[in-house]
């Protein structure tokens, strides 16, 4: 959109908003609300009160607190992982690990393939 077109578009929007504002200014309901607000502000000033003070007067002194939410159930600790023993049938070397991030195990998987290495697992207690 060119700058001129954007300017004209915004100008039209501004004019329509100004017309709506002028129409609202003469609305009787708005006039009554503005008059009420003005009288209320004068009354508050006469008695040296603030709107917050008025609100605090009308709120109950003791607001019943809502029932406390039930405490969240503590998470159960994870069951410890069982160690897996891998025995390389070609070298006889043993690797013991609880996870897959083991240096020797990774080297074996690169060399022999992950499926073959997983077949070397034996669970010992």
């Amino acid at each position: 959109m060119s700058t001129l077109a954007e300017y004209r578009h915004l100008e039209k929007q501004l004019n329509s908003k100004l017309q709506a504002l002028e129409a609202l200014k003469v609305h009787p309901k708005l006039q009554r609300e503005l008059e009420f607000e003005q009288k209320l502000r004068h009354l508050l000033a006469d008695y040296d009160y603030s709107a917050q003070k008025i609100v605090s007067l009308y709120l109950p002194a003791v607001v019943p607190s809502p029932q406390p939410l039930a405490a969240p159930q503590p998470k159960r600790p994870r069951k410890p992982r069982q160690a897996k023993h891998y025995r390389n049938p070609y070298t006889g070397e043993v690797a013991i690990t609880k996870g897959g991030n083991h240096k020797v195990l990774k080297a074996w998987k690169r060399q022999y393939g992950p499926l073959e290495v997983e077949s070397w697992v034996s669970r010992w207690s």
Side-chain angles (χ1 to χ4, degrees):
M1 181 183 290
S2 75
T3 309
L4 180 60
E6 185 177 354
Y7 174 78
R8 299 282 163 103
H9 177 70
L10 290 174
E11 192 175 42
K12 284 181 185 177
Q13 283 183 339
L14 179 61
N15 286 335
S16 67
K17 296 290 182 185
L18 286 173
Q19 288 174 355
L21 181 63
E22 289 300 322
L24 193 58
K25 279 183 182 179
V26 295
H27 197 276
K29 188 174 180 181
L30 176 66
Q31 294 299 323
R32 270 196 357 248
E33 288 180 12
L34 288 173
E35 183 183 348
F36 172 76
E37 181 186 21
Q38 184 181 15
K39 286 180 179 179
L40 181 62
R41 291 204 183 275
H42 285 299
L43 191 61
L44 288 174
D46 289 345
Y47 287 93
D48 197 29
Y49 270 74
S50 68
Q52 292 174 343
K53 203 170 184 182
I54 297 294
V55 169
S56 68
L57 287 173
Y58 285 99
L59 284 179
V62 179
V63 177
S65 61
Q67 294 295 328
L69 297 176
Q73 295 293 330
K75 292 184 178 179
R76 294 185 306 175
R78 290 179 80 178
K79 186 174 138 181
R81 292 183 183 178
Q82 296 238 342
K84 289 184 180 179
H85 295 247
Y86 295 86
R87 179 178 294 275
N88 186 332
Y90 303 108
T91 62
E93 190 178 0
V94 176
I96 302 170
T97 182
K98 289 186 175 184
N101 196 15
H102 191 273
K103 188 176 181 180
V104 174
L105 190 60
K106 283 183 176 181
W108 288 350
K109 286 183 178 181
R110 276 194 306 272
Q111 185 177 359
Y112 301 107
L115 293 176
E116 184 174 350
V117 173
E118 286 300 318
S119 69
W120 302 345
V121 175
S122 63
R123 290 188 183 262
W124 294 354
S125 301

